[in-house]
Amino acid sequence: MFRGTSLRARLFVAQLRLTRAKKTYADLDSLHRSIEKSQGPVAAGPPAKLRRRLSVTCREVDGRPCYTLAPKAPTSSKHVLYFHGGAYVHQIQKDHWSFFERLIKRTGCTVTVPIYPLAPDHKSDETVRMIKDAYNELLGDTDPGDQVIMGDSAGGALALVLSEALEEAHEPQPKELVLICPWLDITMTDPALPELDRIDPYLAVAGLREAGRLYAGDLDKRDPLVSPLFGPLSSLGRVSVFVGTRDVLLVDARRLRDRARDEGVGLEYHEYPGMFHAWLLADIPEGRDALERIATVVSRVREFPHETRESPA
């Protein structure tokens, strides 16, 4: 693990500040304009260059496209179901597709990406129903020992919602559950948030509260379907969490870590000093380090340790 922050990471943060990236979430008018732009008519599927290098297929679930990416000559039986981030209001980004390609190249796995419904036109009940259907239709025939459920930010919450639903239905858990900078509590009321908001170069509490309101609809914001931190954890399989210390969602990751420790859930916790939200998608040394750790998680054999382990800071 990194003791300091790399030059590439510091330059990346400087660029975020120079371009005022945080304004998207700090200013509600900017947030709503970004939603309209993100959900415009531009295609959300993988870019052409990725289609040339990988096998890409598309299948509709509940009328929504789900893209499956695989090596042209598969070498692994592991299948990752990945839910992208974007605060439930922003579409998948091109950096996600680059991340998937790097993960596939490193592990030989298959990655399926549902393009799930977004708020404000669609609410949480529709989104959760679609991701459950995507799991059943696209991974239902995959051995649980080969399943990996993964997601970043809001997608990390959807990954946990899906695993909690499998637990409640007494269905087998996936081999791994990987949560990247997960947004697990849309109430955004933790007392540590103001200080984290001050140092986060990208996310802001005000915009996340608004996005959470748009997504929740009539549900209480503490309902586990929108804030899975309040859902059942005791029978989950092995969970891995990745988060940075300059991310307002650090509080969610730490609270999940503490609950897992108290409830005997096997959880591996990776906290990267100085890292910003979803830094794993960036081409920086810390991102490459985290990718290697995730590749190990995807590739390893199934086992469920009942302890919480933290990587060294």
Side-chain angles (χ1 to χ4, degrees):
M1 182 66 69
F2 290 85
R3 297 287 178 178
T5 306
S6 71
L7 175 61
R8 289 286 299 276
R10 294 197 297 271
L11 290 173
F12 197 99
V13 170
Q15 182 182 30
L16 288 174
R17 296 206 181 279
L18 184 64
T19 58
R20 302 182 67 192
K22 189 180 179 80
K23 185 178 179 181
T24 297
Y25 288 97
D27 177 79
L28 296 191
D29 287 338
S30 296
L31 174 68
H32 283 275
R33 286 195 297 271
S34 75
I35 293 172
E36 183 177 356
K37 182 179 179 181
S38 175
Q39 298 186 30
V42 178
K49 63 179 182 180
L50 187 145
R51 294 174 183 267
R52 291 192 295 267
R53 294 192 285 260
L54 297 172
S55 171
V56 179
T57 58
C58 182
R59 177 174 168 181
E60 284 197 356
V61 175
D62 297 350
R64 307 289 302 185
C66 298
Y67 293 95
T68 296
L69 319 176
K72 291 186 179 295
T75 59
S76 170
S77 59
K78 302 299 187 292
H79 195 152
V80 177
L81 183 64
Y82 193 101
F83 302 116
H84 70 84
Y88 302 113
V89 296
H90 292 140
Q91 196 49 271
I92 190 170
Q93 300 179 18
K94 63 180 181 179
D95 289 345
H96 283 101
W97 299 110
S98 298
F99 175 78
F100 303 149
E101 184 176 11
R102 293 195 297 272
L103 180 61
I104 292 168
K105 182 178 179 180
R106 176 63 180 79
T107 65
C109 71
T110 296
V111 178
T112 291
V113 186
I115 307 300
Y116 56 83
L118 299 174
D121 291 341
H122 307 277
K123 303 303 181 186
S124 55
D125 56 346
E126 186 176 349
T127 299
V128 171
R129 181 171 62 251
M130 187 268 173
I131 66 152
K132 289 180 180 178
D133 289 344
Y135 171 81
N136 289 329
E137 292 189 29
L138 301 173
L139 268 75
D141 293 333
T142 301
D143 187 291
D146 285 329
Q147 295 178 5
V148 179
I149 309 300
M150 189 183 306
D152 68 278
S153 195
L158 291 174
L160 183 54
V161 166
L162 176 57
S163 287
E164 289 176 350
L166 292 173
E167 176 184 354
E168 290 183 322
H170 305 290
E171 296 290 337
Q173 284 291 315
K175 180 181 80 72
E176 308 281 351
L177 175 63
V178 182
L179 310 180
I180 300 170
C181 307
W183 185 23
L184 305 178
D185 177 8
I186 67 169
T187 69
M188 303 298 291
T189 55
D190 192 284
L193 283 171
E195 176 59 22
L196 286 169
D197 198 342
R198 186 184 67 80
I199 64 173
D200 188 321
Y202 181 57
L203 294 181
V205 171
L208 288 178
R209 281 181 179 155
E210 174 67 358
R213 181 188 71 81
L214 294 173
Y215 176 66
D218 295 331
L219 285 181
D220 186 285
K221 291 182 175 62
R222 289 176 60 93
D223 190 299
L225 289 180
V226 293
S227 294
L229 187 63
F230 302 109
L233 300 180
S234 58
S235 297
L236 294 182
R238 181 162 51 188
V239 185
S240 297
V241 177
F242 292 80
V243 71
T245 60
R246 297 183 69 177
D247 184 344
V248 295
L249 301 184
L250 174 65
V251 292
D252 288 11
R254 287 180 172 175
R255 287 162 65 195
L256 179 65
R257 174 199 61 188
D258 294 345
R259 271 199 64 191
R261 180 186 296 120
D262 293 343
E263 298 179 26
V265 175
L267 184 143
E268 296 180 3
Y269 184 78
H270 307 271
E271 185 174 293
Y272 280 65
M275 286 300 97
F276 45 91
H277 185 66
W279 85 96
L280 293 87
L281 304 183
D283 185 20
I284 57 176
E286 292 88 345
R288 292 191 289 272
D289 181 88
L291 175 64
E292 284 300 311
R293 293 175 183 268
I294 289 177
T296 298
V297 168
V298 170
S299 300
R300 66 189 174 187
V301 297
R302 181 172 185 160
E303 57 176 284
F304 293 147
H306 295 287
E307 62 179 355
T308 298
R309 293 187 288 175
E310 299 187 34
S311 60

